[in-house]
Amino acid sequence: MIRVLFVCLGNICRSPMAEAVMRDMVKKEHLEDKIEVDSAATSSWHIGEPPHRGTQDKLREYGISTIDMQGRQLQKSDFEKFAYIIGMDESNIRNIRTILGNPNSPKIFRFLDLTAHRKDVPDPYYTGDFQETYELVQEGCRALLAKIKQELL
Ligand code: 4NP
């Protein structure tokens, strides 16, 4: 099993969106028994909470469920468990390294560095633009799935 973890600040806007979109893609390609997807926060602010209303509404618009999703915080043991630990922005990457004990590992990287954008995913908690974030999340997940499929060959 290849395990993928998306990480953002609150685990209510961007990383749960990436988790749900990625899981949907994995399911559509019948790869559920090969790829497992999760998400986590660097902060403890929203532990146990469902995704932000804006993330829920945007995903529902595209037919993607957020049922049973709840916020959790990144923990040190996640480093061994996951093959990919993906931060949605550069500050997430710094916080991930701190929480995980500063490992210098290629499995930790910024989400959109997999795409031609090579930038932070804008945080809709502040921008209010869940559509912009959704489109970038789609692109990033598409790139990630292509990368993992190469590895599965
Ligand atoms: P996220 O967005 O990191 O994409 O989940 C945020 C969620 C909550 C807060 C900030 C960003 N907050 O300040 O509570």
Side-chain angles (χ1 to χ4, degrees), residues 8-16 45-46 92 123-126:
C8 64
L9 178 59
N11 193 214
I12 54 169
C13 294
R14 294 164 297 170
S15 63
W45 304 336
H46 299 283
N92 301 149
D123 192 341
Y125 190 81
Y126 303 113

Side-chain angles (χ1 to χ4, degrees), residues 32-126:
E32 305 102 305
D33 56 345
K34 299 209 166 53
I35 306 171
E36 200 171 274
V37 190
D38 194 4
S39 67
T42 57
S43 76
S44 60
W45 304 336
H46 299 283
I47 293 172
E49 292 179 28
H52 189 285
R53 170 59 57 192
T55 286
Q56 289 193 41
D57 288 350
K58 186 51 65 184
L59 289 169
R60 190 179 312 104
E61 189 182 323
Y62 288 93
I64 300 173
S65 168
T66 56
I67 196 161
D68 290 341
M69 293 182 75
Q70 50 171 345
R72 74 166 181 95
Q73 190 170 21
L74 182 68
Q75 51 190 63
K76 207 158 184 178
S77 59
D78 289 323
F79 184 69
E80 293 307 326
K81 180 172 177 194
F82 291 91
Y84 294 94
I85 300 171
I86 304 172
M88 306 308 283
D89 67 31
E90 199 53 51
S91 77
N92 301 149
I93 297 291
R94 286 194 298 276
N95 292 327
I96 289 167
R97 290 194 196 284
T98 300
I99 292 167
L100 298 181
N102 286 303
N104 189 0
S105 166
K107 70 180 172 183
I108 302 167
F109 57 86
R110 188 173 63 163
F111 185 59
L112 290 178
D113 285 346
L114 292 170
T115 72
H117 295 289
R118 302 189 63 85
K119 64 173 185 177
D120 293 346
V121 177
D123 192 341
Y125 190 81
Y126 303 113

Side-chain angles (χ1 to χ4, degrees), residues 6-26:
F6 296 106
V7 180
C8 64
L9 178 59
N11 193 214
I12 54 169
C13 294
R14 294 164 297 170
S15 63
M17 189 184 281
E19 176 189 347
V21 165
M22 187 70 186
R23 188 178 294 117
D24 183 63
M25 282 181 189
V26 163

